[in-house]
Amino acid sequence: MTDNEPIIDTSGLVKQYGGIAALQGVDFSVDRGELHCIIGPNGAGKSTFFKLLMGIERPTAGAIHYKGRDVTSLGSFERARLGFSVKFQNIRVYPDLTVYHNLFIPLRRHHRMKKIPGQVAELLGELRLSGTENETVSNLSHGQIQWLAIGMSIAAEPEVLLLDEPTAGMSDDETRETAEIIRRLSATGMTILVIEHDMAFIRDLNTRTTVLHYGRLFAQGTFSEIEANEEVHQIYLGTL
Amino acid sequence: MGSNEQRSVLDKYLGRLNGPQTIGRGVPFWTCFLAVVVVLALCPEFLSRYEIINFSNFLISGFLALSLCLLWGYCGVLSLGQAAFFGVGGYTYGIVALNLLNAHGNTDVAFVAGIVVPTLLAGILGLIMFYARLAGVYIAILMLVVSLMFELFLLQTADPDYTIGAAYIGGFNGLRPASPDDPLLPSLIFGAGESVLEFDGRSVEFYYLTLGLLGAVYLGLRWLVNSSYGYLLVGVREDSHRTETFGYDIRLVQLSVFCIAAAIAGLAGVLYTAWGTFIHPNQFGLKANILPVIWVAVGGRKDLTAALIGALVLEWVGIRLAAVGEISLLIMGAILVVAMLVTPEGVVTTLARVVEQGRAFARARWGRGGTGPRSERQDS
C-alpha cells in the first residue's frame, strides 16, 4: 500500500441485532498515523462500530479492509495479531491479578520473557502508574484503572488503537493527562480512534472528527468544523 | 533471618512452585506441607490395613479434584462430566491389562493407555466444543451428557458378545475376564526387562505409590499455574474475550487445559481400577460427576491446595459418617450447604485469606516483616 491509502476502510457496514439496526451502512476510512475522534449521541452505534472493527462481532453486511486486505471474516485474536488493539468502554481489566500481571498477559504474546519486566516498568512510567505493579486492581483509583486498561491495549505496540471512552469517570486533571498520553502515542505514528462524550477533551485533542447518528455517518471534519455545524448541534452537541 | 529474606530464599529454590497463583508462599506453609507429607507417609505405621486401603481411595479422589480445579478454578471451564475421563481411563487400563498381561507380564502399556486414551478423547470433544465456541453452562451440560451416555452404553454390555479380546465388558457386572482361562484384572505391575515391580491395590506399597503420584501431580500443577501459561489460564477465566483481543487463540488454551485435566482424571481412573481390580459403569454416573464439583467448590475452586484438601477431607468425613447410618447423607448435605453459603469462595480459601489478613495485621501493628499481603504478590 502507498502512504496515501487508508489503513482502515469500511464500506456499507451494517449491524443488526434482531430487528434493531445498530449500524446502517457506514463508509468510513482513516489514514495511517491519524488521530481520529468519533462522537455521537447514546445509541448512535459507536461502540458497535468498534466491536466490528476489532472483530468481536461480525457485520450483518459490508466489509472491513485493513491495509487493503479484506479482514471482515477474521476473529479478534487474528486482528490483534495484524495490529489491532482496543480498550473497551467497560474497561475490562483482570480484577484478581496484580497490575504487573495485568500487563504481563498482553506483553507475553509479543515479547520474550526476559524483556517483560523492563517493558512493564516502561509502560507504568508512561501511564503514571509507577510503583503500583504489586497492587491488585481493586486497590487502584478509577482513573488509574482506565490508564491500566490503556496500558494493556498498547502493550502489544499495535498499529491501530481503538479507545472507547478513555476518560469516562476521570477527574479534570486525569482527563488532561490522558489527552497528553494519547498525543504522545499518536506522535509515535500509531493510528488511534477515540470514542468520547467529553467535548472539552475532544477540543483539547483538536483532530479530525466523525459524528455517528442512528447508525449512520452524520458529519465529518475538523473539530472546529463539527462544532460550527448547526445540524450536529441539533442532534447532539446542543443536548450536552 | 527476616521473613522477606526467608521468602526470597524460598523463591530461589522453589521457583514457580511458590508463585502467587497458589495459596501458601511462606515458610509456615511449606513447613505444614512437609508435616502433612510426613504424617501421610507414617500413616501405615499406626493405621490398620483396612484404613490404609480406604486412604488409598481418598488419595485417588484427590487427583480428580486437582483435575477439575485446574479446568474450572483456573481456566473457568466448568465440566459436570469430568468422571467421563476417569471412567474411560479406568476401562482402558482394565481392557488393555486383561489383554496384554499374559504376553507382557506387566501393565506398563495399560497404564500409559489409561492416560493417553482419555486425553485423546478430550482432544476430540474439546475440538468440537471449543471450536464451536461453546461456553459456560453448555459445556457443563454437554460433558455430563457425554458421561451419562457412556454409563448407559456400558450398562447394556452384559451380553457375552461384548468382549474385546480377553476382556468382557460385562455391563452392570463390571469389567471382567472373557473366559476362565484369561487372567484376572490385575493391580499395577510395572516391568522393565526381567525386573518387575508390583503394587497390589490392597498393599501399603500401593498407598505409597498413590501418595507419591498425587504429590508429583500437585507440585507439577503448582508449577504450571504459576508459569506464564498459568497466567494465561487465569486471563481466560477472568475475561476470555478481552484475552482474545491480545492476540491469543483462547480455543487453543481451553483445549490444551481440557486435555491436561483429562489426563489427570484418566490417571485417577487407572489407579482406581488397579486399586479395586474392578470398574463398573456407575463410575460414569451422576454421583461420580457431581462429587468432584462439590469437593472443589467446598474447598475452594481457585486454588489447588484448597481443592485437594476439600476432596480428601470430605471423602474422609463421608466414610466416617457412613458408620452413623442413613442419616449420614443428610448430615453431609447440611455440611455442604452451610459451607457453600458461609464461604462461597470455598472453606479453605477463606480460611487462608483470614490467616493472611491476620498476619498482615500483626505485621502492621507490631512492624514485623514490614510488607502486607498485597506486596507479597510479586512475580516469581
Side-chain angles (χ1 to χ4, degrees), chain A residues 62-215:
Chain A
I64 301 166
H65 286 84
Y66 173 65
K67 295 181 182 174
R69 174 186 169 190
D70 188 345
V71 297
T72 319
S73 62
L74 297 186
S76 58
F77 75 91
E78 292 163 303
R79 294 204 202 173
R81 290 175 186 183
L82 288 177
F84 280 81
S85 189
V86 66
K87 185 210 79 79
F88 291 99
Q89 183 183 1
N90 51 354
I91 303 182
R92 293 170 76 168
V93 293
Y94 300 118
D96 278 3
L97 296 180
T98 60
V99 169
Y100 179 93
H101 285 111
N102 265 275
L103 292 169
F104 174 85
I105 291 176
L107 283 168
R108 175 191 178 277
R109 177 77 187 76
H110 304 273
H111 293 280
R112 285 164 184 268
M113 286 296 159
K114 281 188 176 168
K115 280 192 161 183
I116 290 180
Q119 292 282 339
V120 170
E122 199 175 303
L123 275 170
L124 292 178
E126 277 175 37
L127 297 161
R128 296 159 165 77
L129 290 171
S130 294
T132 62
E133 46 267 61
N134 296 322
E135 298 287 343
T136 42
V137 170
S138 53
N139 288 0
L140 299 185
S141 72
H142 181 79
Q144 287 177 313
I145 294 175
Q146 282 276 24
W147 285 332
L148 174 61
I150 295 173
M152 291 162 77
S153 308
I154 62 174
E157 294 163 20
E159 290 195 57
V160 175
L161 176 62
L162 311 173
L163 295 174
D164 197 344
E165 300 198 19
T167 70
M170 281 187 173
S171 68
D172 289 350
D173 282 347
E174 288 171 333
T175 300
R176 267 194 297 279
E177 289 186 23
T178 306
E180 190 52 44
I181 290 170
I182 292 173
R183 261 195 295 270
R184 270 210 314 276
L185 287 172
S186 178
T188 65
M190 201 181 278
T191 308
I192 305 175
L193 300 185
V194 184
I195 292 176
E196 254 306 335
H197 282 294
D198 184 336
M199 285 309 126
F201 174 75
I202 303 221
R203 196 176 291 118
D204 191 10
L205 289 181
N206 191 23
T207 181
R208 209 154 77 95
T209 302
T210 293
V211 184
L212 284 183
H213 185 46
Y214 284 128

Side-chain angles (χ1 to χ4, degrees), chain A residues 210-223:
Chain A
T210 293
V211 184
L212 284 183
H213 185 46
Y214 284 128
R216 292 181 198 281
L217 204 150
F218 188 80
Q220 208 165 41
T222 64
F223 186 68

Side-chain angles (χ1 to χ4, degrees), chain B residues 115-313:
Chain B
I115 297 168
V116 170
V117 171
T119 311
L120 290 177
L121 175 68
I124 294 165
L125 288 171
L127 266 178
I128 297 167
M129 290 191 308
F130 298 122
Y131 280 74
R133 296 277 181 185
L134 284 190
V137 72
Y138 297 102
I139 287 183
I141 292 170
L142 188 72
M143 281 310 302
L144 179 60
V145 170
V146 165
S147 191
L148 295 181
M149 276 170 59
F150 270 111
E151 184 191 27
L152 209 61
F153 168 73
L154 287 167
L155 281 172
Q156 291 169 0
T157 55
D159 190 288
D161 285 346
Y162 284 103
T163 55
I164 302 173
Y168 164 45
I169 308 300
F172 46 78
N173 296 312
L175 187 66
R176 55 197 54 233
S179 74
D181 302 330
D182 291 316
L184 294 174
L185 183 51
S187 284
L188 285 171
I189 305 166
F190 293 113
E194 292 294 301
S195 57
V196 165
L197 211 56
E198 192 168 351
F199 294 92
D200 185 321
R202 317 264 130 189
S203 69
V204 171
E205 288 78 16
F206 187 89
Y207 170 79
Y208 281 129
L209 175 76
T210 312
L211 182 62
L213 284 173
L214 184 63
V217 169
Y218 169 76
L219 292 175
L221 288 180
R222 269 188 85 104
W223 181 87
L224 188 73
V225 299
N226 285 312
S227 71
S228 91
Y229 175 76
Y231 285 101
L232 187 54
L233 293 185
V234 173
V236 171
R237 174 189 80 200
E238 296 206 352
D239 194 336
S240 57
H241 288 115
R242 182 69 178 126
T243 307
E244 196 157 15
T245 64
F246 297 134
Y248 293 105
D249 187 349
I250 58 160
R251 300 169 299 184
L252 210 60
V253 179
Q254 291 169 323
L255 177 64
S256 61
V257 76
F258 195 60
C259 288
I260 298 171
I264 298 167
L267 171 62
V270 169
L271 291 171
Y272 176 81
T273 306
W275 171 73
T277 60
F278 182 67
I279 184 148
H280 186 273
N282 65 15
Q283 291 307 325
F284 290 95
L286 196 60
K287 190 181 164 201
N289 279 302
I290 299 303
L291 271 180
V293 179
I294 293 174
W295 300 332
V296 173
V298 169
R301 69 181 188 283
K302 288 182 183 175
D303 185 77
L304 293 166
T305 317
L308 185 57
I309 294 175
L312 299 183
V313 170

